[in-house]
């Protein structure tokens, strides 16, 4: 049974601070790190993007993370109920509600991509990638998989089932326990693959692609800034109350800011390590910058990498390792999304955890169906890309914007700082954090959103 380290009676709590960090890092580290970060870096000019990304993490991501963790632990409630508790008789709870809706939508498209990964793991185990494939053939394999709607639905369903079974077990007995097994396994696989990739001949081109800053590329393409910020929010699981919910199961004994910094640093380090796993191998196998920026979203992970594995000695083994890693990362993240939804129905509407997980996990699966089935909204926009556009690019940023306003101006930074420094805890620079959360973060987020809307509207 969970020891009572935090939370109201019966709500559950983390077993240990290490368990919490692993679970929260597991929620943050996911497809966003392994799939999204390298892809966005490839699209946005490599090192210039990496630099901007790091600035976004430090100046905006971490301050918002502190804010979410503080609201969660101060109330021991999930988003909607938490806003109601801190600001009764106001409309702030809508920020929490937006988070729950965003959770549903992200879980839907996320699980379909995870379903592709499960399918690829199966293919890797079956030895489909070790038969001397040409790039055209690997492209075909991907198209065939996506086009095979029953199979994609099946894989997505199995993925959902795994997440539901974990979340049903509760915070301590389900989520924390699963992450304690899955995350170490994930780290071992990732480090093994990154070392293999970086020791290939010609790997240095990939490394300099990630770290050789050319500021001109940012100036050339201002969308890089939006990409970097949305990617930071998505990767750190911010803007929809996931960190808030995880913080709500924490005891006041924890040093919140340090926990936040550890989670943020782990997430960022893993994204960079994922880049170091993918790009050196890509360049070592003859890839070039010009081909890189022409790939579509899914191509790097599902089309390019199988060709690369195919050329390595023991390639099948590396292929299995890679797709297993992808599935693990996606599972621990989807768990955190499902937990936000579940906690809402438990805290706000008094549902039993078990019923909430099955009913609303099931509802999210229904929303995933049109994605898995490739439903189209218009000639060149699928239902899935519409969800990604609204909920990945905008909704998290809008949520983050209001979280900043709430903590900066309604709840007040002093209250959050009192929560962060409870029981004599200290953290350097908290007055500076107040300035960031009141002025810098909301302003930067608003400018980036408005600029993007303006460009989209004009173009
Ligand atoms: N951060 C995860 C990833 O990088 C995805 C994720 C899980 C997420 N929970 C979230 C994103 C909450 C936004 C909000 O893959």
């Amino acid at each position: 049974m969970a020891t009572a380290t935090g939370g109201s009676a019966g709500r559950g709590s983390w077993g240990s601070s290490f368990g919490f960090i692993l679970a929260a890092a597991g929620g943050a580290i996911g497809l966003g790190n392994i799939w999204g970060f390298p892809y966005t870096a490839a699209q946005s000019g490599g090192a210039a993007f990496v630099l901007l990304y790091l600035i976004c993490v430090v100046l905006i991501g971490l301050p918002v993370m502190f804010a979410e963790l503080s609201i969660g632990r101060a109330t021991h409630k999930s988003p909607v109920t938490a806003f109601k508790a801190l600001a009764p008789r106001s409309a702030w709870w809508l920020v929490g509600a937006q988070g729950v809706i965003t959770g549903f939508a992200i879980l839907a498209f996320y699980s379909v991509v995870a379903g592709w990964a499960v399918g690829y793991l199966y293919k890797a185990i079956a030895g489909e990638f070790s038969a001397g494939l040409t790039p055209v053939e690997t492209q075909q394999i991907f198209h065939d998989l996506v086009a095979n709607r029953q199979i994609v639905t099946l894989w997505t369903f199995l993925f959902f089932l795994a997440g539901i079974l974990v979340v049903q077990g509760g915070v301590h007995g389900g989520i924390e326990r699963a992450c304690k097994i899955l995350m170490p396994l994930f780290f071992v696989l990732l480090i093994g693959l990154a070392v293999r990739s970086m020791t290939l001949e010609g790997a240095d081109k990939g490394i300099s692609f990630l770290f050789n800053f050319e500021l001109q590329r940012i100036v050339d393409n201002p969308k890089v800034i939006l990409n970097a910020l949305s990617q930071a929010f998505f990767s750190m699981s911010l803007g929809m109350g996931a960190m808030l919910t995880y913080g709500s199961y924490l005891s006041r004994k924890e040093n919140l800011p340090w926990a936040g910094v550890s989670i943020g640093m782990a997430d960022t380090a893993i994204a960079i390590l994922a880049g170091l796993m993918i790009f050196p191998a890509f360049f070592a196998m003859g890839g070039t910058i010009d081909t890189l920026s022409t790939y579509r979203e899914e191509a790097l992970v599902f089309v390019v990498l199988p060709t690369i594995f195919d050329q390595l000695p023991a390639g099948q083994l590396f292929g299995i390792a890679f797709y297993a890693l992808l599935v693990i990362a996606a599972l621990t993240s989807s768990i955190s999304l499902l937990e936000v939804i579940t906690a809402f129905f438990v805290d706000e509407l008094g549902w039993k955890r078990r019923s909430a997980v099955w009913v609303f996990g099931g509802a999210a699966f229904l929303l995933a169906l049109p994605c898995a089935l490739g439903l189209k909204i218009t000639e060149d926009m699928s239902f899935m890309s519409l969800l990604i556009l609204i909920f990945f690019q905008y909704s998290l940023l809008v949520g983050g914007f209001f979280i900043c306003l709430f903590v900066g101006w309604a709840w007040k930074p002093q209250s959050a700082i009192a929560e962060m420094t409870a029981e004599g805890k200290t953290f350097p620079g908290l007055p500076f954090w107040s300035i960031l959360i009141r002025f810098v973060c909301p302003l930067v987020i608003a400018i980036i959103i408005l600029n993007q809307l303006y460009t989209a509207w004009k173009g």
Side-chain angles (χ1 to χ4, degrees):
M1 252 332 273
T3 46
T5 52
S8 25
R11 229 181 138 254
S13 59
W14 305 109
S16 67
S17 38
F18 183 63
F20 160 69
I21 302 267
L22 266 193
I29 297 166
L31 296 173
N33 303 60
I34 314 290
W35 177 53
F37 179 83
Y39 162 71
T40 322
Q43 290 291 301
S44 317
F49 167 81
V50 176
L51 179 65
L52 264 183
Y53 181 80
L54 294 177
I55 296 175
C56 288
V57 166
V58 174
L59 279 188
I60 301 178
L62 286 180
V64 174
M65 171 94 79
F66 286 14
E68 283 203 28
L69 289 176
S70 308
I71 300 176
R73 199 186 57 180
T75 56
H76 290 309
K77 290 286 178 282
S78 53
V80 174
T81 325
F83 282 104
K84 281 188 181 168
L86 293 179
R89 287 177 302 281
S90 73
W92 284 107
W93 63 271
L94 287 170
V95 181
Q98 187 211 347
V100 177
I101 294 170
T102 307
F104 267 111
I106 295 184
L107 186 56
F109 70 74
Y110 200 83
S111 305
V112 174
V113 180
W116 297 344
V118 179
Y120 267 65
L121 177 59
Y122 176 79
K123 284 177 190 296
I125 294 172
E128 278 192 43
F129 299 132
S130 24
L133 296 170
T134 65
V136 176
E137 284 165 335
T138 44
Q139 184 80 48
Q140 196 56 42
I141 292 184
F142 182 75
H143 278 294
D144 291 348
L145 176 77
V146 174
N148 193 338
R149 297 180 176 154
Q150 289 95 333
I151 290 286
V152 174
T153 307
L154 174 72
W155 294 133
T156 307
F157 175 76
L158 290 178
F159 182 79
F160 258 101
L161 200 62
I164 287 177
L165 289 175
V166 171
V167 175
Q168 152 179 297
V171 175
H172 178 63
I175 301 179
E176 185 173 345
R177 198 163 68 182
C179 288
K180 271 189 174 159
I181 301 167
L182 293 173
M183 290 316 286
L185 183 60
F186 169 85
F187 291 130
V188 170
L189 290 173
L190 180 62
I191 291 171
L193 282 163
V195 167
R196 172 70 274 214
S197 171
M198 285 190 286
T199 49
L200 290 170
E201 212 171 300
D204 48 320
K205 274 201 225 128
I207 299 174
S208 72
F209 175 73
L210 273 181
F211 296 116
N212 232 340
F213 298 106
E214 287 170 65
L215 283 183
Q216 191 53 38
R217 280 175 180 263
I218 301 181
V219 184
D220 286 350
N221 181 3
K223 185 151 193 276
V224 174
I225 302 180
L226 174 78
N227 289 346
L229 191 65
S230 338
Q231 176 62 28
F233 264 74
F234 187 81
S235 187
M236 297 171 84
S237 299
L238 298 173
M240 51 79 68
M243 285 300 160
L244 190 160
T245 306
Y246 272 27
S248 77
Y249 302 115
L250 264 182
S251 91
R252 300 198 103 205
K253 288 205 273 306
E254 304 302 329
N255 187 323
L256 274 194
W258 278 119
V261 169
S262 320
I263 300 164
M265 298 234 298
D267 186 68
T268 306
I270 296 296
I272 291 180
L273 206 55
L276 288 175
M277 158 177 77
I278 291 176
F279 292 118
F282 173 78
F283 285 102
M285 295 299 163
T288 64
I289 293 196
D290 293 331
T291 47
L292 200 54
S293 53
T294 62
Y295 289 128
R296 286 166 45 85
E297 266 157 56
E298 66 284 348
L300 208 53
V301 162
F302 292 111
V303 177
V304 180
L305 286 183
T307 332
I308 292 176
F309 294 135
D310 185 36
Q311 297 171 43
L312 294 176
Q316 183 178 4
L317 216 60
F318 288 111
I320 295 174
F322 177 76
Y323 292 107
L325 166 143
L326 207 57
V327 172
I328 294 173
L331 183 61
T332 53
S333 292
S334 73
I335 286 171
S336 79
L337 292 160
L338 193 53
E339 175 59 28
V340 175
I341 302 171
T342 305
F344 164 72
F345 288 97
V346 171
D347 285 344
E348 185 65 24
L349 303 177
W351 282 53
K352 286 215 166 50
R353 167 174 284 269
R354 186 183 282 262
S355 339
V357 176
W358 282 96
V359 171
F360 296 100
F365 176 68
L366 290 184
L367 192 61
L369 276 182
C371 301
L373 298 176
L375 180 76
K376 289 219 176 254
I377 302 274
T378 64
E379 195 51 39
D380 40 27
M381 160 119 12
S382 66
F383 179 69
M384 182 160 165
S385 26
L386 181 70
L387 285 189
I388 295 181
L389 178 71
I390 299 176
F391 292 97
F392 172 88
Q393 289 237 294
Y394 291 106
S395 187
L396 296 174
L397 295 186
V398 172
F401 172 75
F402 283 112
I403 289 172
C404 294
L405 287 194
F406 176 75
V407 172
W409 301 93
W411 189 40
K412 298 279 166 14
Q414 301 86 291
S415 322
I417 289 181
E419 182 59 40
M420 286 189 256
T421 54
E423 306 206 353
K425 296 291 182 298
T426 55
F427 188 81
L430 286 177
F432 182 58
W433 170 82
S434 308
I435 300 175
L436 289 177
I437 207 77
R438 290 193 112 164
F439 303 103
V440 180
C441 300
L443 214 65
V444 172
I445 299 174
I447 292 174
I448 292 178
I449 298 176
L450 290 178
N451 175 53
Q452 183 54 31
L453 283 176
Y454 176 69
T455 330
W457 172 69
K458 228 181 42 181

